[in-house]
Amino acid sequence: MSALLLLFAVVFKLISVAFIFAAALGLIRFRDPFQRMHAATKAGTVGAIFAILGTICSMQGVGPTIIGAFVIAFLLLTVPIAGHLLGRAAYTSGEKIDGLLGDDALSSVIERQGSSLEERIAVERER
């Protein structure tokens, strides 16, 4: 049983590396902050969960299993909320939405700045 758990630990950690690599690649390749935020929160969270599962399997104890379960629950409860708040802050500050294909569904719901923060700072510096 111990060898099987260690094999699961290695497999979970390799899956974790793949998801974290995908999150890093998404941060580099995506065009706007909303797409980058999506890559970081979704793939990064799944990668962290698989890393924790791999650690639980390699430590093989009741204590690490309980702590790992609490950490996974904490990640699942906090990362989506943090991602939502970051996205809302980026949206209201006027960041460009390059990946939007249709109409902006939030335009009548949330007040949005006309230009991005960088553009507003550049205008202020020119004055």
Side-chain angles (χ1 to χ4, degrees):
M1 186 64 157
S2 176
L4 185 62
L5 283 176
L6 291 177
L7 179 66
F8 278 137
V10 170
V11 170
F12 285 150
K13 289 179 183 179
L14 288 175
I15 293 171
S16 169
V17 168
F19 273 102
I20 292 173
F21 178 74
L25 190 63
L27 287 175
I28 294 169
R29 297 288 310 242
F30 286 146
R31 298 180 298 196
D32 64 17
F34 304 103
Q35 293 173 342
R36 290 183 188 129
M37 177 198 58
H38 179 76
T41 56
K42 303 295 186 222
T45 303
V46 172
I49 287 172
F50 274 109
I52 293 166
L53 288 174
T55 304
I56 289 171
C57 289
S58 66
M59 295 184 78
Q60 301 177 6
V62 175
T65 302
I66 292 171
I67 292 171
F70 279 121
V71 170
I72 289 171
F74 181 76
L75 283 173
L76 290 174
L77 290 173
T78 57
V79 173
I81 295 169
H84 172 77
L85 291 175
L86 285 172
R88 186 177 178 107
Y91 181 82
T92 58
S93 71
E95 280 298 319
K96 294 179 183 174
I97 306 174
D98 294 334
L100 186 64
L101 298 177
D103 292 335
D104 184 5
L106 293 176
S107 62
S108 63
V109 179
I110 299 175
E111 187 177 333
R112 179 174 163 82
Q113 295 289 328
S115 61
S116 69
L117 179 62
E118 290 84 12
E119 293 169 353
R120 293 192 309 267
I121 290 174
V123 168
E124 286 295 322
R125 285 186 181 166
E126 289 177 2
R127 290 183 187 178

